[in-house]
């Protein structure tokens, strides 16, 4: 501690000045940063003279890519894996359920939120048959798509003919559609 001749409080001690190795490290870091800045500026000027950024010998994000890779990247970026997988199942429906069932039952839509696959059958007999096969199909679809992607298969029977309204209608009748259902 140093004594103050004026009789007041002692002077606070200053941190030691960097010297030797520490001073060399600070100078080297400053020189590297300056060189890096000069190099970046020179590289940008060179690229601007050549007509903008160009791809070099190594692959980067600006290079063209195969269509399949681009589509897979888009599907992943947008989070469309589940709908794309279900769309693939709809395309392979005959291989999954068999040719016989596929001739009479067609998948119509998939609700991603509720994880329900809706299938329309061309007759009530095939709709009943598919309802009996539904647990097996759900297991097979989940095996193909991933666990829990399909929780329920909603089977719909055939739609009735278009309802025609005309002057010759019985009171209280809903038309020819009242026999379907």
């Amino acid at each position: 501690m140093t004594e103050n001749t004026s009789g007041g409080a002692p002077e606070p001690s200053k941190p030691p000045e960097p010297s030797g190795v520490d001073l060399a490290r600070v100078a080297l870091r400053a020189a590297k940063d300056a060189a890096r800045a000069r190099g970046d500026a020179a590289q940008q000027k060179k690229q601007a003279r050549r007509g903008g950024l160009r791809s070099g010998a190594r692959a980067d994000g600006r290079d063209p890519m195969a269509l399949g890779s681009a589509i897979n990247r888009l599907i992943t970026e947008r989070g469309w894996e589940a709908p794309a997988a279900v769309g693939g199942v709809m395309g392979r429906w005959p291989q999954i359920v068999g040719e016989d069932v596929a001739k009479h039952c067609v998948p119509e839509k998939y609700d991603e939120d509720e994880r329900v696959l809706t299938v329309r059958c061309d007759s009530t007999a095939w709709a009943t048959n598919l309802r009996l096969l539904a647990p097996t199909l759900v297991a097979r679809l989940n095996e193909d798509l991933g666990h829990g992607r399909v929780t329920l298969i909603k089977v719909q029977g055939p739609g009735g003919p278009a309802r025609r309204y005309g002057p010759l209608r019985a009171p209280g009748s809903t038309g020819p559609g009242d026999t379907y259902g």
Side-chain angles (χ1 to χ4, degrees):
M1 206 145 93
T2 59
E3 282 189 37
N4 193 348
T5 56
S6 61
E11 292 180 18
S13 60
K14 294 181 183 178
E17 292 286 326
S19 64
V21 176
D22 294 331
L23 192 55
R25 283 185 187 143
V26 170
L28 179 62
R29 188 176 309 129
K32 281 183 178 180
D33 290 341
R36 189 174 298 120
R38 282 193 309 270
D40 288 345
Q43 183 71 20
Q44 288 173 353
K45 283 182 187 176
K46 198 183 295 183
Q47 286 175 346
R49 271 186 262 131
R50 281 191 284 171
L53 296 175
R54 292 189 182 176
S55 179
R58 294 186 188 104
D60 65 5
R62 298 169 291 160
D63 288 338
M65 60 177 25
L67 181 62
S69 301
I71 289 174
N72 287 338
R73 183 172 153 191
L74 179 69
I75 287 172
T76 304
E77 286 175 356
R78 303 284 171 108
W80 294 340
E81 289 94 355
V86 172
V89 163
M90 290 184 176
R92 292 178 291 133
W93 183 251
Q95 290 87 15
I96 293 172
V97 298
E99 293 293 329
D100 246 5
V101 176
K103 287 178 188 174
H104 302 281
C105 303
V106 179
E108 282 193 339
K109 65 180 178 178
Y110 173 71
D111 185 1
E112 189 176 352
D113 297 331
E114 296 183 21
R115 299 179 181 203
V116 174
L117 179 66
T118 304
V119 179
R120 171 133 352 242
C121 297
D122 61 1
S123 71
T124 54
W126 278 104
T128 303
N129 188 19
L130 194 65
R131 284 186 189 101
L132 294 172
L133 290 173
T136 307
L137 284 177
V138 167
R140 193 178 302 164
L141 289 170
N142 283 330
E143 193 176 289
D144 194 22
L145 297 173
H147 182 67
R149 291 281 187 194
V150 178
T151 57
L152 178 70
I153 294 180
K154 189 181 210 180
V155 181
Q156 295 181 341
R163 297 181 186 210
R164 292 181 221 114
Y165 298 102
L168 302 175
R169 235 178 55 173
S173 169
T174 59
D178 63 359
T179 57
Y180 293 95

